[in-house]
Amino acid sequence: MENEKKLTRSSNRMIAGVCAGIAEYFGWDPTLLRIVYILATFFTAFAGVIIDIILWIVMPGKRPSDGYEDRMNQRLH
């Protein structure tokens, strides 16, 4: 079975879960990504706010059932 990752907003959220969702997808630390995002937003005349709003709308939220079946199958094997 293929390991199929999905880019979703995280339940580990500060505002919308966008930064944490991206960090989880790439295996990064969410806190470091949030710091980089804040610095990038500040130095780009707050363009990051617009990008965050767009990603909040476009990225699906993580459902509680996401990955549940896979975790149960791994425990059984």
Side-chain angles (χ1 to χ4, degrees), residues 4-28:
E4 191 175 312
K5 291 198 299 186
K6 294 180 183 177
L7 181 59
T8 58
R9 287 181 282 134
S10 176
S11 57
N12 176 13
R13 60 180 67 194
M14 294 299 280
I15 296 175
V18 173
C19 286
I22 293 171
E24 287 175 1
Y25 183 78
F26 289 108
W28 300 337

Side-chain angles (χ1 to χ4, degrees), residues 1-5 66-77:
M1 183 169 217
E2 294 180 28
N3 186 5
E4 191 175 312
K5 291 198 299 186
D66 283 349
Y68 177 76
E69 186 177 335
D70 294 332
R71 289 192 308 269
M72 290 298 110
N73 285 335
Q74 288 175 354
R75 288 183 183 181
L76 293 174
H77 294 287

Side-chain angles (χ1 to χ4, degrees), residues 6-58:
K6 294 180 183 177
L7 181 59
T8 58
R9 287 181 282 134
S10 176
S11 57
N12 176 13
R13 60 180 67 194
M14 294 299 280
I15 296 175
V18 173
C19 286
I22 293 171
E24 287 175 1
Y25 183 78
F26 289 108
W28 300 337
D29 183 24
T31 305
L32 292 177
L33 185 63
R34 288 177 183 131
I35 292 170
V36 169
Y37 167 75
I38 290 169
L39 291 174
T41 299
F42 181 73
F43 289 115
T44 59
F46 299 97
V49 175
I50 297 169
I51 293 170
D52 194 50
I53 292 170
I54 292 170
L55 288 175
W56 189 3
I57 294 168
V58 173

